[in-house]
Amino acid sequence: MQRYGPRHYFPNFIRVALPVFGIMGGLILSLPLAAMLGVVWGPVIGFGLGILYALGMAMFFGWLASMRKLLTSFQDAKGLHSWSYLDVTGSYNELYRLCAESLAAICMQDSVREYGRAGLLVGETKCNLISWGSEVFLLVEYLGPNATRVQVFSRPLIPTNFIDFGSNKRIVSDLAGKLSAHYTALVA
């Protein structure tokens, strides 16, 4: 299992932190500074402080994402998360390949990797205005020569999220739907 530092997450978080904290913070700070320093220097200093604040918040969110607990089982996860599983009649290798492709389609480039044990894949989604990103797990388990279980699990990248607007549930249902659609096509 590879643990990433805050620098790994910084480019992902700055994409949202800069417009949200930098521009909005700059606008809010510019108004009183313009009254004190004038119409030229007030906005310059206000937006400069807003950008510095956005950079600090992106680093802070990166630190929070890097400090989240490593999972040994899905039952270890606390807080906002969503979980589902499918038992299918397909070969382990084919479903593992399909899971890796499905995960790579929704996650950031080069974030899909093995996670500490055979059959467990993990990837990270990009942050947006609704969510700061999610960590998505797919566990492919061999049940028999023609039986495989696929578990789908999603949790927020930042462990302090108290609301995710249903993004983790949506990720799990989309992946489960994609896998079941491919499964029915494989059986037919």
Side-chain angles (χ1 to χ4, degrees), residues 9 11-12 55 64 91 94 96-97 117 127 135 157 161 163 173 176 179:
Y9 297 105
N12 186 26
L55 291 171
L64 284 175
S91 72
E94 191 169 334
Y96 184 84
R97 181 191 53 76
R117 72 180 248 201
C127 67
E135 189 174 37
L157 271 179
N161 277 5
I163 189 165
S173 65
L179 291 173

Side-chain angles (χ1 to χ4, degrees), residues 176-186:
K178 201 180 278 188
L179 291 173
S180 63
H182 278 76
Y183 161 72
T184 55
L186 290 173

Side-chain angles (χ1 to χ4, degrees), residues 28-149:
I28 292 168
L29 290 172
S30 293
L31 297 174
L33 288 174
M36 292 187 310
L37 302 173
V39 289
V40 174
W41 287 107
V44 170
I45 293 173
F47 279 105
L49 291 172
I51 289 170
L52 285 175
Y53 182 66
L55 291 171
M57 289 305 291
M59 280 305 291
F60 175 65
F61 290 153
W63 177 77
L64 284 175
S66 69
M67 297 306 293
R68 69 184 179 278
K69 181 180 178 184
L70 295 174
L71 291 181
T72 55
S73 71
F74 294 160
Q75 290 77 19
D76 289 345
K78 303 277 191 276
L80 292 176
H81 60 273
S82 190
W83 171 81
S84 180
Y85 77 94
L86 304 162
D87 286 335
V88 295
T89 56
S91 72
Y92 172 85
N93 292 333
E94 191 169 334
L95 280 163
Y96 184 84
R97 181 191 53 76
L98 182 63
C99 286
E101 290 172 2
S102 299
L103 197 57
I106 66 164
C107 292
M108 290 187 298
Q109 185 178 8
D110 299 331
S111 73
V112 177
R113 64 191 186 282
E114 292 249 338
Y115 191 84
R117 72 180 248 201
L120 182 58
L121 295 166
V122 64
E124 298 166 352
T125 63
K126 288 184 179 180
C127 67
N128 53 43
L129 291 175
I130 295 175
S131 168
W132 287 103
S134 296
E135 189 174 37
V136 184
F137 296 88
L138 282 170
L139 176 60
V140 184
E141 296 176 300
Y142 179 82
L143 298 177
N146 202 20
T148 307
R149 172 174 286 163

